[in-house]
């Protein structure tokens, strides 16, 4: 069982008798209080979708939920459902658009390394690879002779995500983006 200080976003834990997915974690260190940090976690009940905000001490023990991860590819959209296909047995997994809104900013038909998280036979969340490659669809014109380390400018990517990129990047370039921090990592390999 991990301590509250050891869990990361998109971890499923058992909390008050139900399985919840941790969507956001903020750490605070109270002033004048002996002891460790506090971890405020925003969680969602995987069955009902209910939002739960809870604060844990860094030493609180959390019970990991019993879950399975499957490698999938984005397949198609069906109304408000996004359908992902299992890479091995082609099982389709449907996830509601609202439940995966943050992750959708990093996904297109070519994105590899996506995993769907399954609890009790139901797909409940997506886990992204650490980086993805996306095309720049809109940014200010590149500045000739701009050094790679100079100022940055905003770039809108094919998924609607906006990231800061160096001035030498132009529309049409494929770039690598860190999914945890939404940060530019370099040009893509494509």
């Amino acid at each position: 069982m991990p301590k509250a200080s050891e869990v990361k976003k998109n971890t499923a834990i058992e909390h008050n008798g139900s399985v919840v997915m941790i969507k956001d974690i903020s750490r605070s260190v109270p002033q004048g209080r002996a002891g460790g940090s506090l971890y405020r976690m925003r969680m969602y009940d995987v069955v009902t979708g209910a939002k739960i905000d809870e604060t844990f001490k860094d030493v609180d023990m959390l019970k990991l939920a019993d879950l399975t991860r499957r490698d999938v590819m984005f397949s198609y959209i069906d109304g408000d459902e996004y359908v992902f296909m299992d890479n091995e047995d082609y099982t389709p997994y449907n996830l509601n658009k609202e439940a995966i809104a943050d992750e959708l900013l990093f996904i297109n038909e070519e994105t590899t390394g996506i995993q769907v998280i399954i609890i009790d036979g139901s797909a409940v969340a997506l886990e992204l690879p650490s980086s993805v490659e996306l095309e720049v669809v809109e940014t200010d014109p590149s500045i000739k002779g701009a050094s790679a380390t100079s100022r940055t400018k905003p770039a809108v990517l094919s998924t609607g995500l906006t990231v800061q990129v160096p001035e030498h990047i132009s529309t049409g370039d494929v770039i690598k983006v860190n999914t945890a921090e939404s940060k530019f990592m370099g040009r893509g390999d494509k």
Side-chain angles (χ1 to χ4, degrees):
M1 283 174 43
K3 294 179 186 162
S5 59
E6 297 167 342
V7 297
K8 296 189 169 22
K9 278 172 35 172
N10 285 340
T11 302
I13 61 169
E14 289 182 22
H15 180 66
N16 292 344
S18 57
V19 176
V20 295
M21 201 74 179
I22 299 169
K23 277 296 190 184
D24 204 36
I25 303 172
S26 55
R27 178 176 173 252
S28 61
V29 182
Q31 290 295 320
R33 190 181 143 260
S37 308
L38 294 178
Y39 290 84
R40 184 168 178 75
M41 298 186 189
R42 170 155 288 175
M43 306 178 288
Y44 290 88
D45 186 304
V46 299
V47 178
T48 65
K51 185 171 74 176
I52 305 156
D53 286 329
E54 191 76 60
T55 303
F56 298 98
K57 294 190 194 96
D58 56 359
V59 293
D60 286 348
M61 301 303 274
L62 303 178
K63 185 174 190 314
L64 294 179
D66 186 22
L67 57 83
T68 314
R69 286 182 164 81
R70 298 290 299 175
D71 291 327
V72 295
M73 286 289 284
F74 170 58
S75 190
Y76 62 94
I77 301 169
D78 181 10
D80 280 346
E81 301 274 307
Y82 278 67
V83 182
F84 294 83
M85 205 64 79
D86 190 300
N87 290 351
E88 282 177 27
D89 63 13
Y90 305 109
T91 304
Y93 296 105
N94 293 33
L95 285 156
N96 186 287
K97 181 180 176 180
E98 267 182 42
I100 57 170
D102 294 347
E103 289 84 359
L104 289 177
L105 291 171
F106 297 99
I107 296 173
N108 63 23
E109 292 79 12
E110 291 143 29
T111 307
T112 56
I114 306 169
Q115 290 190 320
V116 69
I117 296 171
I118 300 156
I119 297 174
D120 295 334
S122 302
V124 296
L126 279 183
E127 196 155 282
L128 295 170
S130 59
S131 68
V132 293
E133 292 191 4
L134 295 169
E135 184 183 344
V136 176
V137 293
E138 185 187 321
T139 190
D140 293 336
S142 66
I143 298 168
K144 290 281 178 249
S147 72
T149 57
S150 66
R151 297 187 303 272
T152 61
K153 61 184 179 181
V156 180
L157 307 182
S158 56
T159 57
L161 178 71
T162 301
V163 295
Q164 290 294 321
V165 299
E167 290 180 331
H168 64 85
I169 297 292
S170 47
T171 301
D173 285 350
V174 173
I175 63 167
K176 203 175 253 183
V177 180
N178 174 314
T179 56
E181 300 171 358
S182 300
K183 283 198 175 137
F184 172 84
M185 293 171 65
R187 284 185 190 270
D189 300 327
K190 296 185 178 84

